[in-house]
Structures are given as structure tokens and as C-alpha cells.
Amino acid sequence: MSGSQRAARFEILDRQDFSDVTYSLVIRHPRMAKAARPGQFVIVMLHEYGERIPLTIADFDRYAGTVTLVIQAVGKTTKEMQQTCKAGSFLHALVGPMGVPSSLTGRRKVICVGGGLGVAPIFPQARGFKENGAYVIGVLGFRTRRLIFWQDKFEACCDELILCTDDGSAGIKGFVSDGVKRAIDRHRDVDEVVAIGPPVMMRACAETTRPHAIKTVVSLNPIMVDGTGMCGGCRVRVGDAVKFACVDGPDFDGHQVDFHDLMMRLGRYAGQEKTAVQRWSENCRMKEADLAAELLEAADPFDEVLGG
Ligand SMILES: Cc1cc2nc3c(=O)[nH]c(=O)nc-3n(C[C@H](O)[C@H](O)[C@H](O)COP(=O)(O)OP(=O)(O)OC[C@H]3O[C@@H](n4cnc5c(N)ncnc54)[C@H](O)[C@@H]3O)c2cc1C
Ligand code: FES
């Protein structure tokens, strides 16, 4: 057994694939499941040489002692996890829960908006608002019908659910900001909108609610390194202040966030990220080629049986 296998401690109990790029992992971690609150995230290391990546706790079950992550394979680490994380395998490290939990009490009517992968992290908040007695309107957006996931989980905790698809193959044709408009038109007494998804989507939601002066909370996803407020990597501009998303957020006032700055910072390492994923996939192809060569060179295990 290698060192990394010996150190592995966080067992993956279940995996589901929602699409070619999106998958969920259910991980055994009773203490994390007990401590987790909606809005928090973890830092994950796949193996001892892996990079540390932040992922939102998309669900937790205190009785089963599990946490659920929903991941989109966008680059080296998330693709490597997609390839290697299976039920019965282990994560090297899972640190958290991190970040300030979302504030869920004292609201009478809220709209919870999730776009694409953002649908997963908005789920614990929608459920938390419901548990605290709010009337919850869910607005979920996907590019197309076949990418929809967790609709049943939202139906169970939302009083109303507005599904939006870019191509109109399910629900209303349009973006989540159209869904938010529709919800606001129907309900003039919304206390708060919470939106999670790509920065452009969160910005569009914040601009939709601004003229109505409805408090709008967004969950920011800047590049994080340590997740403890030490490195400054996750710096974001909110109004006149500079905040660290890992310790001051990730939830912030969407009407105050400088989305342009966030998007600029997110794209800063695009060159290195491209190189990392290229190197990793070349390495995978080389390993596959080595394995194929080994198999060709190896004696045919059926030779004896067949008398060759
Ligand atoms: C608080 C928070 C919660 C997140 N929750 C989720 C989640 O639940 N599911 C999910 O799939 N993704 C989530 N992300 C984004 C996820 O961390 C990145 O997709 C991941 O780090 C990409 O790594 P990579 O090596 O696969 O891709 P790379 O090719 O390295 O990067 C692809 C893109 O991901 C972003 N990214 C890269 N490294 C980091 C990093 N260290 N921290 C943050 N973003 C990074 C950048 O925008 C980059 O352009 C979250 C990010 C933050 C900050
Ligand atoms: S990730 Fe280092 S300060 Fe936030």
C-alpha cells in the first residue's frame, strides 16, 4: 500500500453523475456533517500531492454522518477527481467547514436562485429558510432539460419552483434573472433574494432586484488557496471595502460587489490552468500508452490454456 493510500481517511460512499461534467460525491465525515451550516464550504485534496480546492457543502446529513459535494469538471483537479473518485475510494484531505454560515432566520419570503452548478450550493439554504418558517420560492436555471438535477429535492423544500432553461426544453425559456422577474411580479413582499452561480448570472440577478430595493445576497467564488484569511488570494471588493471571501464570506451583498474585479481576478491564471490540464491529460495518455505496450509485451495469459 502506498503512503497516499495509508493517509487516506475520507471515504466516498456514493457517486452520481448528473452529466458528462457534473457529478456528486457523498463522503463519510460524521463530525463535519454535525458542524456544517448552509453556505459553508470545504477545502479538498484528492491525494497528498494534489492542489487544495474549495467546494461548497451542497448537502449534509447529521444522522447518516455524511456530506455531499457537487462538482463540475472544469480543470486539472476536478477532472482528475472525476476520473478517480468512485464509491469505496478515499479523499486525502477534507478541511472545514469554512466560511461564515448564511443568515437564514427572520425572513418571511425569500427567492433562492441557482444557476447551473449553483443549483447545488443553494439547496442547503433553501432547505434552511424553509426550516426557519419562510415561504421559499426556488428559481433554478439550466442550459437544457438533460442537465437538470435535484429538482425533487427543491420540490420538497420550496413552496414554489420556477424552472428556467436557456433553450426552453423545460420550464420557462430564459435565464434565471427572467425567473426572478416573474417571482417578483407575483410577490411584492419578498424580503431577500439569494443567488448562486457564475458571476455574470449573480450580477444579472442583483441588477434585476436593485430597482426594487430587495436585499440580494450572492456567494462569491474567487480563487482560494489556504481558505483561512492568510494568503489574500480570495480578495474581493465589496462597496468601499476589500474583503477576503474565505473568512468574511463567501456570502456578500450583491448590490455592493464589484463583479468586474471578481471576473478579472478569476481569469488571471487562465494560461497556467490551461497548461496544467494539458500536462495532466498528456500524462494520462502516456500512462494509457505505457499500459497498452505492457499488455502487448506480456505473455498471453490464455496461451497455456489454449496450448499456444
Ligand atoms: C467558496 C467556493 C466554493 C466553490 N464550490 C464549488 C462547488 O461546490 N463545486 C464546484 O465544482 N466548484 C466549486 N468552486 C470552484 C472550484 O473550487 C474550482 O472549479 C476548482 O478549484 C477548479 O480547479 P481545477 O484544477 O479543476 O481547474 P483549474 O483549471 O485550475 O481552474 C478552472 C477555474 O476554476 C477556478 N479556480 C481554479 N482554482 C481555484 C481555487 N483554488 N479556488 C477557487 N477557484 C478556483 C478559476 O476560475 C479557474 O479559471 C468553488 C469555489 C469557491 C471559492
Ligand atoms: S484563500 Fe487565502 S485569504 Fe482567503
Side-chain angles (χ1 to χ4, degrees):
M1 194 182 268
S2 78
S4 65
Q5 279 170 316
R6 265 197 303 275
R9 285 162 43 222
F10 304 103
E11 187 183 4
I12 296 167
L13 300 179
D14 187 39
R15 165 176 170 157
Q16 275 184 43
D17 287 85
F18 298 139
S19 73
D20 289 351
V21 289
T22 310
Y23 53 100
S24 69
L25 302 176
V26 177
I27 300 148
R28 189 200 308 280
H29 198 322
R31 289 176 68 192
M32 178 90 70
K34 222 179 204 177
R37 298 283 178 277
Q40 292 188 296
F41 64 94
V42 290
I43 299 253
V44 171
M45 276 175 82
L46 174 58
H47 49 74
E48 64 184 313
Y49 305 109
E51 83 173 314
R52 302 155 54 93
I53 64 161
L55 297 168
T56 306
I57 302 172
D59 199 1
F60 49 89
D61 184 331
R62 298 200 169 104
Y63 299 104
T66 58
V67 292
T68 302
L69 307 176
V70 176
I71 305 159
Q72 195 158 37
V74 290
K76 179 188 171 283
T77 300
T78 46
K79 283 176 194 259
E80 196 178 354
M81 287 176 73
Q82 186 186 29
Q83 204 175 70
T84 59
C85 290
K86 306 263 157 41
S89 69
F90 294 82
L91 294 175
H92 177 71
L94 189 67
V95 181
M98 292 177 153
V100 181
S102 305
S103 167
L104 303 172
T105 52
R107 318 297 197 276
R108 278 161 305 163
K109 194 174 276 185
V110 292
I111 305 178
C112 291
V113 192
L117 187 78
V119 165
I122 199 75
F123 170 70
Q125 302 205 32
R127 183 178 57 188
F129 278 124
K130 188 71 207 156
E131 285 167 357
N132 281 293
Y135 184 92
V136 180
I137 304 161
V139 177
L140 308 182
F142 298 91
R143 270 190 289 123
T144 186
R145 171 187 283 276
R146 80 185 156 72
L147 300 178
I148 295 173
F149 65 90
W150 282 11
Q151 186 176 347
D152 52 340
K153 283 167 83 97
F154 280 89
E155 278 166 353
C157 69
C158 292
D159 296 281
E160 285 178 43
L161 188 61
I162 301 174
L163 205 57
C164 314
T165 48
D166 296 3
D167 63 1
S169 52
I172 62 170
K173 184 175 187 318
F175 299 132
V176 284
S177 45
D178 299 313
V180 172
K181 260 184 224 141
R182 182 178 285 212
I184 294 174
D185 286 346
R186 280 193 208 149
H187 300 270
R188 294 286 163 177
D189 53 349
V190 171
D191 298 311
E192 185 171 319
V193 172
V194 186
I196 309 185
V200 274
M201 180 223 108
M202 293 190 286
R203 183 172 63 186
C205 290
E207 291 315 315
T208 304
T209 58
R210 197 189 291 277
H212 303 274
I214 301 171
K215 181 180 176 193
T216 299
V217 175
V218 293
S219 178
L220 301 188
N221 61 337
I223 290 183
M224 290 187 180
V225 183
D226 62 325
T228 64
M230 301 293 284
C231 71
C234 65
R235 214 163 33 239
V236 289
R237 287 180 183 281
V238 184
D240 293 333
V242 170
K243 301 275 185 190
F244 290 170
C246 66
V247 287
D248 300 321
D251 288 356
F252 292 101
D253 177 349
H255 295 150
Q256 296 285 319
V257 167
D258 184 340
F259 284 103
H260 177 70
D261 181 65
L262 174 69
M263 289 187 261
M264 293 278 288
R265 288 178 67 83
L266 276 170
R268 187 164 287 178
Y269 302 103
Q272 288 93 327
E273 285 155 1
K274 202 171 157 199
T275 310
V277 83
Q278 263 168 1
R279 278 204 195 127
W280 174 75
S281 45
E282 275 162 21
N283 204 8
C284 289
R285 279 200 296 274
M286 272 162 63
K287 276 189 193 149
E288 274 171 23
D290 287 350
L291 188 66
E294 264 176 41
L295 288 174
L296 279 175
E297 278 171 23
D300 185 340
F302 291 101
D303 272 3
E304 259 189 354
V305 191
L306 297 173

